[in-house]
Amino acid sequence: MSYLVVSSLADMPKTVEEHGALDLVTLINAETVVDRPVAVDGSRHLFLGFNDIAEEMEGFVAPSRDHLDQLIAFGSRWSRDKPLAIHCFAGISRSTAAAYILAIAINPDLDEAALAEELRRRAPSATPNPRLVALADERLGRSGRMVAAITAIGRGEDAFAGTPFVLPLTL
């Protein structure tokens, strides 16, 4: 069974190794150096450089439609032979949004609210980036249901970094 596994930058190498992931999505500030694990070929690593912000701010790079399109395209090419690892700096906002988005993009039959509740159950600190979720809601034609579902689970527990977790593609 294929699944998504989410972690912080600090936990990413161990998470990739433990789950045998061969594909990796990095969502982090563009200037952050990320050492790609040896098991992940460069062609199977998507690096999206943007700040964890919810709206445009001078001097920062906000999540954009281009970032979202690259994420969805990468997820659609993923072979699903092994888990897809997704990480951001803390494993709380950008990566949890990306996992939520990819699960729905890959399996459009998923119920937005049920998936958001499962995300909260598996990741108590998850606070998915609202801008990224809103862009995906529009792009995937979900009529506001993704935004509403993430709003309904509220802000996650305070944490310096999230604990790595698995998000299934089916519920």
Side-chain angles (χ1 to χ4, degrees), residues 63-148:
S64 69
R65 285 183 179 81
D66 182 56
H67 295 126
L68 175 69
D69 289 345
Q70 289 181 63
L71 175 67
I72 291 172
F74 186 84
S76 70
R77 291 190 305 270
W78 167 47
S79 69
R80 296 175 189 65
D81 292 341
K82 299 279 187 175
L84 170 61
I86 304 169
H87 80 93
C88 59
F89 186 77
I92 291 175
S93 180
R94 289 169 284 192
S95 58
T96 61
Y100 179 74
I101 290 163
L102 282 179
I104 289 173
I106 290 166
N107 182 2
D109 292 334
L110 282 172
D111 177 79
E112 300 87 357
L115 182 62
E117 289 167 11
E118 185 65 14
L119 174 65
R120 169 60 66 236
R121 188 180 74 72
R122 291 171 179 257
S125 65
T127 305
N129 180 283
R131 182 180 176 97
L132 205 50
V133 171
L135 290 169
D137 190 299
E138 180 183 324
R139 167 84 161 68
L140 298 173
R142 303 306 272 215
S143 303
R145 293 186 306 272
M146 290 175 73
V147 170

Side-chain angles (χ1 to χ4, degrees), residues 10-112:
D11 287 327
M12 180 269 291
K14 183 176 91 173
T15 301
V16 165
E17 183 180 342
E18 284 179 0
H19 291 269
L22 299 175
D23 298 272
L24 177 65
V25 175
T26 297
L27 307 103
I28 207 155
N29 300 359
E31 64 278 358
T32 303
V33 175
V34 175
D35 292 325
R36 180 175 35 83
V38 175
V40 178
D41 183 77
S43 67
R44 297 175 83 161
H45 180 205
L46 176 64
F47 185 101
L48 296 174
F50 61 87
N51 297 99
D52 186 19
I53 55 177
E55 55 190 49
E56 298 281 343
M57 292 175 63
E58 190 171 329
F60 293 89
V61 177
S64 69
R65 285 183 179 81
D66 182 56
H67 295 126
L68 175 69
D69 289 345
Q70 289 181 63
L71 175 67
I72 291 172
F74 186 84
S76 70
R77 291 190 305 270
W78 167 47
S79 69
R80 296 175 189 65
D81 292 341
K82 299 279 187 175
L84 170 61
I86 304 169
H87 80 93
C88 59
F89 186 77
I92 291 175
S93 180
R94 289 169 284 192
S95 58
T96 61
Y100 179 74
I101 290 163
L102 282 179
I104 289 173
I106 290 166
N107 182 2
D109 292 334
L110 282 172
D111 177 79
E112 300 87 357

